[in-house]
Amino acid sequence: MDYSSGWVEFKVEIMENWRDLGRWGSETEGRSERDGASDSETKPDTGVPEVPVSADDTPEVLNKALSGLSSRWKNWWVRGILTLAMISFFFFIIYLGPMVLMMIVMCVQIKCFHEIITIGYSVYHSYHLPWFRTLSWYFLLCVNYFFYGETVTDYFFTLVQREEPLRILSKYHRFISFALYLTGFCMFVLSLVKKHYRLQFYMFGWTHVTLLIVVTQSHLIIHNLFEGMIWFIVPISCVICNDIMAYMFGFFFGRTPLIKLSPKKTWEGFIGGFFSTVVFGILLSYVMAGYSYFVCPVEFNNDSNRFTVDCEPSELFQLQNYSLPSVLQSISGWTTVKLYPFQIHSIALSAFASIMGPFGGFFASGFKRAFKIKDFANTIPGHGGIMDRFDCQYLMATFVNVYIASFIRGPNPAKVIQQLLALRPDQQLHIFNSLKAHLTVKGLLPALEEAA
Amino acid sequence: MTELRRRGGGGDPDSTESISDKEADGDDRLGFPGEGEGDMEGDSKADTPDVPPSADNTPECLNKALEGLSSRWKNWWIRGILSLTMIVGFFLIIYLGPIMLILLVMGIQIKCFHEIITIGYRVYHSYELPWFRTLSWYFLICVNYFFYGETVADYFGVLVQREEPLQFLVRYHRFISFALYLAGFCMFVLSLVKKHYRLQFYMFAWTHVTLLIVVTQSHLVIQNLFEGMIWFILPISTVICNDIMAYLFGFFFGRTPLIKLSPKKTWEGFIGGFFATVAFSFFFAYLLSPYQHFVCPVEYNSETNRFAVECEPSNLFVMQEYTLPAVVQNGVRWKTVNLYPFQIHSIALSSFASLIGPFGGFFASGFKRAFKIKDFADTIPGHGGIMDRFDCQYLMATFVHVYIASFIRGPNPSKVLQQLLLLHPEQQLSIFNMLRNHLQEKGMLPPAVEEAQ
């Protein structure tokens, strides 16, 4: 595939080249991030692989059904159908509950890891490097073990304390994880082969960066999920909505380009997407906040050994009266409005999704350009790989997690009690006195002359 | 820069020659892999740097003093003098106390980061890349801010509660750190320049891996330090001792090579070093354990506004009698022996330092060979850069931290208190009552006559 011919007419040439290669014709128009066009990367980067173009793997059934239409519309239809399929799948999974969601997150993580590592292999022609595939998957297992162990210990505390083997595993969890990681590290050192040192170090670095991005963030998603499914659904929906809305606005009104990196993105799309996403976020939160299924933290019920989402909704999810500022009062004629406080938070979340989320997309675009690949993989026909769909989600997941930790959730009282009871008695006494002083100052305790 | 390019264009013969020149001087470098043995990397990566050999920066005074000796002995003397200087410096810093140690760790971290990033620049000829130097240092500052905020805030709990701006910073610490990091991330994305995408991504990844290795582990070192200076001094001394002992045993008895990666290491050195190190740390632990200055957790005394190391030594540092197993009893005719429990732990620590520590050294050797550099930098005459001295230490620091967390330490009381203070008042009250009952049961509190709610 020859990228280095001079691009003069963007659309026509691209269409023709890609049609020749069996890709859908107007891939460029169909894809909102289509950026493979402009930059003529003529830099003499001799180590660059030309990652072979992935074959077209649209299912045959779709091909037949749409064989009548012109290739341009065919592309639209394929993308549209797939988009709808993904969204329905999303709702279906939500219906199935937290366990299934966790497994989906896990699978997505594994697939993303696989995609990025495969790109690394292609870049470095290192597919046949001894041991390396094994080691990459081994490191993935180790890091997942570490994170799942921490999550399980926190949320399934009672279950863990009950079963003896689990208790030991959880008490020495960090040590075991570290030992597993060290084994992998030593295997890596022992596998260094004279001719391939540099490659092996590159792949080692590549694996670790991928783990850092993909695995940690998927665990943050799971943490968000445990806070309440709404903290999982609303952010993801906002990002998807922003994608779609920005594309629509750009398609209909787009005029001024946004950033050189992605020439198809426009300011009109960006701003239009921002406002529509914020509105969408407010409405979606309004719809979801009424159901305890979505807003309750996911808990593991020891007796029934199942996940339950059953609780007294916190204040965030109870309708409250807000008085409108006078400006809005005069316009809409209402003095107060009933909102869930969560809707205010959703404005922050959707603002982040619209403003910062695209940076994740630019990062992925830059990455694809740097390594001269068109898509991360070809898993989803018309859309590319899983990573292509999830590039904006990663920043969002981290933001939501940090947001919850900073503004919403305090420390978990059960956990604090558990830690308190694990301290030495003299330390407990010290804390007791500090707490007493604190509560007395706050007026919650009548001042006593209790001698400690 | 042009000089770099010329060397790069010269290809292998050039580099082999220049390196083998240094080889004559550096022949007796501990564990240094013989570069000249034709490490022909078949990969056709044209962007291999040949990092020019760093100039000899031995101080003039040493040069003059050792003028008379042959160059081989001169090298020995330089290494010996510098080793002694470093060890003396180490003890001086310990004497000066925890704050100095923290500053020292911080300084070393910054220097190591700088060394590795500089190598990255050379590897990718990316020294002139727009913004990149600024961004690397910015990320370093961000990550340090995050970690110092997490650790320091715990230990300075009382001080933090007093000052209002500090309280705000602590409460929203994660959010502020994340915002700072995001700003750097956005700057990176905005700084992507058409012709340099790949380089920029490489440097971005290089920076992050370096941060992961260097910064997180230096913070683990500081957390170990706060547990008690002995948790800092003993592991570091053990690694240094293992280095020296393995070298000496290898020098006198070395015969069978250990690993292809470092041809100068031998099994005799490895095993001899192992036993010598275990014995050394056993005795060193015995020496240090009686002193409060070393074994007490470092605490911040809010009244005097200074660090204090004063406490009731924990069980680990109180002499106990152990009955020797029968086999050993016949051997030495003692029935029991007085030991600090900490000495048993020190055996675990020193075993790790001797058995796994060298893998850190092999990793660094492999790294140097992969990028065809002789040393990380040339900061210490005769020894190379700071990273060269510290490559084994990083694994050790992580191990000690994990060891303490798993086997020694319970939760950190100041952290627990801090979390308590963040809870809702009703939750605090209920915990207060629960704690009071618990302590009364244990007899730590006199049972209250009347305690009005």
Side-chain angles (χ1 to χ4, degrees), chain A residues 38-43 45-49 123-125 171-175 178 182 185-186 188-190 192 194-199 201-202 204-206 208-209 212 259-261 352 356 359-360 362-364 366-367 369-372 395 398-399 401-403 405-407 410-413 416-436 438-439 442 444-446 448 450-452, chain B residues 37-49 123-124 171-172 174-175 178 182-183 185-186 188-190 192 194-199 201-202 204-206 208-209 212 259-261 314 352 356 359-360 362-364 366-367 369-372 395 398-399 401-403 405-407 410-413 416-417 419-423 425 427-429 431-432 434-436 438-440 442 444-448 450-453:
Chain A
S38 56
D39 64 327
S40 45
E41 298 220 37
T42 49
K43 72 173 154 43
D45 203 344
T46 51
V48 174
V123 169
Y124 294 111
H125 308 293
K171 188 165 155 60
Y172 298 110
H173 176 71
R174 285 201 181 179
F175 192 75
F178 184 62
L182 265 191
F185 182 82
C186 295
F188 170 71
V189 171
L190 292 172
L192 288 173
K194 213 185 224 185
K195 286 197 183 354
H196 301 296
Y197 288 147
R198 181 178 287 230
L199 270 185
F201 272 93
Y202 278 159
F204 189 76
W206 190 286
H208 278 68
V209 175
L212 195 69
I259 187 174
K260 283 195 301 292
L261 198 52
F352 182 85
M356 295 304 275
F359 275 91
F362 300 150
F363 186 84
F367 180 84
R369 285 183 170 209
F371 294 99
K372 294 209 166 97
L395 267 185
T398 318
F399 176 76
N401 190 278
V402 171
Y403 190 86
S406 304
F407 298 112
N412 182 1
V416 176
I417 292 179
Q418 172 202 344
Q419 289 180 320
L420 255 185
L421 294 173
L423 289 173
R424 293 198 306 263
D426 56 315
Q427 293 168 321
Q428 290 177 343
L429 198 57
H430 177 72
I431 290 185
F432 176 77
N433 290 330
S434 311
L435 187 60
K436 189 173 69 173
H438 177 82
L439 286 175
K442 283 214 160 199
L444 288 165
L445 274 183
L448 302 160
E450 170 86 32
Chain B
E37 74 192 51
D39 177 20
M40 292 299 146
E41 296 218 27
D43 61 333
S44 55
K45 293 265 166 285
D47 50 353
T48 309
V123 169
Y124 294 109
R171 204 183 139 80
Y172 297 111
R174 285 201 180 177
F175 193 75
F178 185 62
L182 267 193
F185 182 83
C186 294
F188 170 71
V189 171
L190 292 173
L192 288 173
K194 214 186 230 187
K195 288 203 181 351
H196 301 296
Y197 288 147
R198 181 177 286 231
L199 270 185
F201 272 94
Y202 278 158
F204 187 76
W206 190 286
H208 278 68
V209 175
L212 193 71
I259 187 174
K260 282 195 303 289
L261 198 51
S314 83
F352 182 86
I356 312 283
F359 277 91
F362 299 151
F363 186 85
F367 180 85
R369 285 185 168 210
F371 296 99
K372 297 208 167 93
L395 269 184
T398 319
F399 176 74
H401 183 84
V402 171
Y403 190 86
S406 304
F407 299 112
N412 181 1
V416 177
L417 182 61
Q419 287 182 318
L420 260 182
L421 295 173
L422 285 176
L423 289 173
Q427 292 168 321
Q428 288 177 343
L429 208 53
I431 290 183
F432 176 76
M434 184 235 36
L435 189 59
R436 191 187 53 200
H438 177 82
L439 287 174
Q440 280 169 354
K442 286 215 160 203
M444 303 280 306
L445 275 182
E450 199 57 49
E451 187 99 43
Q453 290 302 337

Side-chain angles (χ1 to χ4, degrees), chain A residues 195-265:
Chain A
K195 286 197 183 354
H196 301 296
Y197 288 147
R198 181 178 287 230
L199 270 185
Q200 290 181 293
F201 272 93
Y202 278 159
M203 289 311 297
F204 189 76
W206 190 286
T207 305
H208 278 68
V209 175
T210 310
L211 284 174
L212 195 69
I213 298 176
V214 173
V215 179
T216 51
Q217 319 236 31
S218 75
H219 279 273
L220 293 180
I221 291 181
I222 291 182
H223 276 276
N224 296 346
L225 183 72
F226 272 101
E227 279 299 306
M229 304 230 281
I230 199 172
W231 290 104
F232 172 79
I233 298 171
V234 168
I236 290 187
S237 317
C238 284
V239 173
I240 295 175
C241 169
N242 185 59
D243 246 1
I244 297 175
M245 287 296 154
Y247 177 68
M248 298 280 197
F249 274 86
F251 186 76
F252 289 117
F253 308 115
R255 215 146 283 133
T256 20
L258 181 59
I259 187 174
K260 283 195 301 292
L261 198 52
S262 291
K264 294 197 76 67
K265 301 221 184 258

Side-chain angles (χ1 to χ4, degrees), chain B residues 194-378:
Chain B
K194 214 186 230 187
K195 288 203 181 351
H196 301 296
Y197 288 147
R198 181 177 286 231
L199 270 185
Q200 291 180 294
F201 272 94
Y202 278 158
M203 288 312 294
F204 187 76
W206 190 286
T207 304
H208 278 68
V209 175
T210 311
L211 284 174
L212 193 71
I213 299 176
V214 172
V215 178
T216 50
Q217 319 236 29
S218 75
H219 278 274
L220 294 180
V221 169
I222 290 182
Q223 284 193 298
N224 295 346
L225 183 73
F226 272 103
E227 278 299 306
M229 303 231 283
I230 200 173
W231 291 103
F232 172 79
I233 297 169
L234 191 78
I236 291 187
S237 323
T238 309
V239 173
I240 294 174
C241 169
N242 185 59
D243 246 359
I244 297 175
M245 288 295 155
Y247 178 68
L248 287 177
F249 275 86
F251 186 76
F252 289 118
F253 308 115
R255 217 147 280 132
T256 18
L258 181 61
I259 187 174
K260 282 195 303 289
L261 198 51
S262 291
K264 295 188 82 64
K265 300 220 186 257
T266 57
W267 277 102
E268 289 83 4
F270 185 70
I271 295 178
F274 170 69
F275 285 110
T277 305
V278 170
F280 165 80
S281 76
F282 196 75
F283 285 116
F284 197 46
Y286 179 76
L287 275 182
L288 289 182
S289 297
Y291 298 95
Q292 269 189 10
H293 183 66
F294 294 125
V295 312
C296 287
V298 174
E299 275 166 23
Y300 182 74
N301 192 330
S302 34
E303 286 120 43
T304 62
N305 270 4
R306 294 180 64 241
F307 282 105
V309 271
E310 248 171 37
C311 66
E312 179 78 28
S314 83
N315 290 340
L316 271 189
F317 301 103
V318 173
M319 269 283 208
Q320 290 179 14
E321 278 202 66
Y322 289 91
T323 336
L324 287 173
V327 175
V328 185
Q329 271 190 28
N330 293 339
V332 297
R333 276 183 288 120
W334 292 330
K335 290 239 184 59
T336 63
V337 66
N338 279 332
L339 285 181
Y340 295 100
F342 180 70
Q343 290 179 273
I344 317 283
H345 290 295
S346 79
I347 297 180
L349 297 181
S350 48
S351 311
F352 182 86
S354 323
L355 297 175
I356 312 283
F359 277 91
F362 299 151
F363 186 85
S365 296
F367 180 85
K368 286 188 282 194
R369 285 185 168 210
F371 296 99
K372 297 208 167 93
I373 54 180
K374 188 167 182 296
D375 290 320
F376 281 93
D378 214 20

